[in-house]
Amino acid sequence: MPVADDGGEAGYRAAGLANARSQDGVDQSQTRASQTMRRWAIGAVLCALAAALVVYAGVHWAMTEMGPPPFARVTHLMPTAAHMSDAVEPQEPRQPPLDPDKVDPRYLRMLFAFEDRRFYSHYGVDPYGLLRAARDLVLNGRIVTGGSTLTMQVARLLDNQYRRTPTVKLRQIVRAIQLESSLTKKQILRLYLGLAPFGGRVRGVRAASLKFFGKEPHQLSVGEAALLVALPQAPEARRPDRDAEAALRARNFVLKTVATAGVVTAAEAELASREPLTAEAPPMPEIPTPKPAVTHVAGLFAGLTLGLNVIVATPATAAPMQPPQSPPSYFLGSEEQVALDVRRRLLSPLPAGTQQADRDALWMFYAGRDAPVWAAMTGWTPAARAVIDEIKRADDWGLDAAAFDIPELPAAGGMPLPARQLVDAEIGLSLAVMKYARYARGGRIEDPATQLSSYLDRKPQVRPPFLVMTGIAAAEAPDDYLRKLHPQHEQFEKLRQAYLARRDGAASETVTIPKGSKIKPGATHEQVALIRERLGIAASGEDANHYDDMLADAVKRFQAKHNISPANGVINASTRRALNERQNVSLATLLANMEQWRWMPEDLGDVHVWVNVPEFRVRVVKDGAAVLDERVITGETSTQTPIFSKDLETIYFHPRWNIPESIKVKEVFPSLARGGGYFYRQGLKLVRNGKEVRPGSVNWYKADVRNYDIYQPSGPGNALGLIKFTFPNKHSVYMHDTQSKGLFDASQRTFSHGCVRVKNPLALAQLLLGIDKGWTPEHVAQLVKGDPEEIAAHLDKHIPVHLAYFTAQVDSDGEVTSEPDIYGHEKRITQALQGKWKDIDKGPDHLAQVELAQRLDDAQQARKGRSGGGRRVVSRSYGGGGGGGGGYSARVSSGSTANDVFRRSFGF
């Protein structure tokens, strides 16, 4: 029988008991540590509560010792707070309370951004501001950015305590808490607006606005609002009427700060920084009224002196009498008085439809003048008559002369006209000038992208009204100044001349070529005479129906110009259709195209790329001449090619297509779940954490496709072809090659989803890189023939790319050609110019899709950043960044972007 090992069993029991006791000891130690931590936490909470109670009691005691705020001296600003103070103090000069709602909201936003960004969230004291001030004091030895809030500034103004001592600062803090407990935020803000010092005896925003700008505070410009924000910090040192340079520096510092905070745009801040300071001129001294008693005594002394002279003085020759001095020029009836009345009139309501920007510009302009520009004392000045005549000819420039209200000012026949009539005429003509300038620069349609179509991403090139007034006032020929506000492009002037000819009935009559058989050069046909009349080619012999060589050359040029292939001079159906259709250009079409030129940049660039979408052609223009002309494919009517201008930055050879997040979810994932037919047909690649993954090894019913990178490698089958031209833009479009070359033979080539496909991208790349880098065509061709590896050639000097939409143009022969309005933009512009805004079909906002794709792509990039994974694709890169154009470096691809959001724009 086996014998049991009792000793071993007992040993195991003893070991188990020891382990259990050890474990119990560990648990007890952890329990004691946990209890200790809990006691410390409770103690800390109790200490914090005790400290808070002590602080509360101390603040309450301090407020009791200080007494209530001295509201009695400012009851005119806060009538509802009069009962809060029993103190009787001498009251300050009365001024009406200024409600925050009656102040320019830009001033309030600047005030909060510059002085107290958390005004509506703190209780009188900003802890963040105090901590920042303490940090500055420790690190810099001085307080760089103070911790004072608007409520603390009101406390200082109420108590008249301006010393910078710890005691005074603590008093301000306690008073600020007291104010917050007894007043609303709006009441505190009203007190600040009424008490803020601006130098001398000027207190309050309204008083300062009237003194320095002569206007109510709800009419402030951006620059004026910034100045009023800056002055209370050092009112005496920054007074505009004493130290204009200090005031200017302070105002511009405020503008820079609020622009950084996003209160105003950088462009608004830059324009406001150019505004002149308009400090108030010193008032004329009052003439004291003499008292009767003084006059009687003076007469008595005068009589006594005269009697003594008669008795004692010897005869003397009287000195010649000096002519009486003329009254000062600023008295009534002078030009200075008219200019002053203009400024006063600008504070009153102006005609309906007057823009605030125009009012502000006129105030700034006339604040720096002591004489009117247009209205003389006896009628219009010569400059005014020239301007009025030019405005009346607005119809000749495609505008409507009836849209400009020109005031009447009759000739006075040498007698001064009434001051009110002069003031109204001066302001009225200035408003007409600014409106003309705005319309001449395309301002009739202020924002085509929102008013017409999101695809029309153009902005009128409007000049600031203040610069218009200063420019025309300084011009020797103000009428010529107005004419030069219109586009100076050659094509605009050609369209204008064509418009004038058709408007005045001088255009040639329509010539219709009937249907018929083909007519070859050298033949004689009855339609040849009509073709001669249509093209303006006289007969070389007596028979006008003979198709001679001169006419054949003209027909060949016409065919080549209108993309009729082959351009061999044979009159066929396509040539007849072009001859009949392209001569009927309406006045409305010409006006719509002239209006688009008002939106174009003034400088198109010495070298630029010009894509005219309705014409389906791309041209490279150098020094005003087209050095390349090629066919393109543009977007479908549902996914249009947007109209805008950007700079070409990079040309890619053998581009890689990185599938964006949106297409992965909507297109690729369903294909993978069904077996991957679409995935394999397009030659796509699947990557996870930098490693290529076989799609069949993934369970797509559980996997998230957004965790994978999918791309189409460079190569012959790539959707982008061999070359891509990028000019970064918010529409996510670019120019590129395509595999579908046969589509270029169609007459209307609207096949893409937004991008521009180029028929011969190699020729375009060779020309642009030859201009920019001096590369030979052979060098560029070698990049295309090399290994299918993405190569980026960064341009040393960016080249402007203009995606335009002109349905009417005038060629070098003076012929007006027209193109179909494929997207309806011409119709929309015509409706807008005719005031038919409700009839405009703006269509959907295509950028909403791009923004959604961008958010999806951003989410993908954020996931990759958190995981530290993702595919890194290294490719070669040439030039750019001042590298001399010949550098060679490695480049890491940026991965998936919204740049490819329109799938079918890449050829499939």
Side-chain angles (χ1 to χ4, degrees), residues 331-383:
F331 282 159
L332 293 174
S334 66
E335 292 184 340
E336 288 84 348
Q337 180 64 40
V338 174
L340 180 60
D341 290 343
V342 166
R343 294 200 292 270
R344 292 174 178 170
R345 178 69 176 84
L346 289 171
L347 301 178
S348 304
L350 294 182
T354 302
Q355 297 191 2
Q356 182 65 35
D358 289 348
R359 179 198 292 269
D360 293 343
L362 286 183
W363 169 255
M364 290 169 53
F365 174 72
Y366 284 104
R369 293 185 61 86
D370 55 3
V373 181
W374 316 118
M377 302 306 299
T378 56
W380 292 120
T381 63

Side-chain angles (χ1 to χ4, degrees), residues 185-199:
K185 289 288 186 181
K186 189 173 183 179
Q187 290 174 324
I188 294 173
L189 186 58
R190 184 184 289 128
L191 281 175
Y192 178 84
L193 296 178
L195 295 176
F198 291 90

Side-chain angles (χ1 to χ4, degrees), residues 65 72 83 86 93 101 146 186 192 254 320 376 383 403 463 583 615 652 781 869:
E65 289 295 317
H83 66 282
D86 299 328
D101 297 333
K186 189 173 183 179
Y192 178 84
V254 171
R463 292 185 182 177
Q583 59 179 323
E615 198 179 3
Y652 291 93

Side-chain angles (χ1 to χ4, degrees), residues 433-672:
V433 165
M434 290 187 294
K435 187 176 183 179
Y436 185 95
R438 187 164 58 251
Y439 283 11
R441 308 293 293 179
R444 285 185 289 183
I445 304 175
E446 296 180 352
D447 189 6
T450 59
Q451 295 176 294
L452 303 182
S453 170
S454 62
Y455 290 104
L456 275 174
D457 189 11
R458 295 278 184 204
K459 279 285 189 181
Q461 305 295 303
V462 177
R463 292 185 182 177
F466 175 75
L467 299 183
V468 170
M469 289 303 301
T470 55
I472 197 170
E476 296 182 0
D479 52 341
D480 185 60
Y481 179 90
L482 289 180
R483 287 190 292 270
K484 290 182 178 178
L485 289 173
H486 295 278
Q488 301 299 301
H489 303 293
E490 180 184 6
Q491 192 61 216
F492 175 84
E493 181 59 25
K494 287 183 176 181
L495 288 172
R496 189 177 81 89
Q497 294 301 328
Y499 167 77
L500 294 176
R502 282 162 172 73
R503 186 197 67 178
D504 299 337
S508 59
E509 297 181 0
T510 300
V511 178
T512 303
I513 312 299
K515 297 181 179 180
S517 59
K518 292 182 179 181
I519 306 174
K520 297 182 179 180
T524 300
H525 194 281
E526 60 183 2
Q527 292 184 4
V528 173
L530 293 175
I531 297 172
R532 290 185 183 279
E533 183 181 356
R534 169 68 178 86
L535 298 178
I537 304 298
S540 58
E542 295 181 358
D543 188 1
N545 289 325
H546 177 65
Y547 193 176
D548 55 22
D549 293 339
M550 185 180 298
L551 179 59
D553 292 339
V555 171
K556 291 177 183 178
R557 290 194 302 270
F558 179 86
Q559 291 173 330
K561 187 184 304 180
H562 297 90
N563 302 321
I564 299 174
S565 181
N568 54 9
V570 177
I571 307 298
N572 51 23
S574 299
T575 304
R576 284 187 173 91
R577 184 167 53 252
L579 287 170
N580 290 333
E581 290 178 353
R582 298 179 183 272
Q583 59 179 323
N584 299 318
V585 182
S586 66
L587 292 177
T589 295
L590 294 174
L591 288 176
N593 283 270
M594 290 170 61
E595 194 69 16
Q596 286 196 74
W597 276 108
R598 304 183 197 275
W599 305 340
M600 296 299 295
E602 291 187 57
D603 184 9
L604 299 177
D606 295 336
V607 176
H608 63 268
V609 179
W610 181 268
V611 179
N612 191 25
V613 172
E615 198 179 3
F616 305 111
R617 302 199 72 83
V618 58
R619 297 179 178 87
V620 177
V621 181
K622 183 178 181 182
D623 299 329
V627 294
L628 183 141
D629 191 338
E630 189 55 84
R631 295 185 181 187
V632 298
I633 291 173
T634 62
E636 300 176 4
T637 55
S638 58
T639 54
Q640 305 170 15
T641 296
I643 308 304
F644 64 94
S645 296
K646 286 291 182 181
D647 286 347
L648 178 66
E649 297 183 2
T650 310
I651 300 176
Y652 291 93
F653 297 92
H654 303 289
R656 177 183 294 104
W657 181 35
N658 300 293
I659 309 300
E661 195 84 352
S662 56
I663 296 180
K664 282 198 302 185
V665 174
K666 296 179 181 179
E667 303 290 341
V668 180
F669 176 70
S671 171
L672 292 171

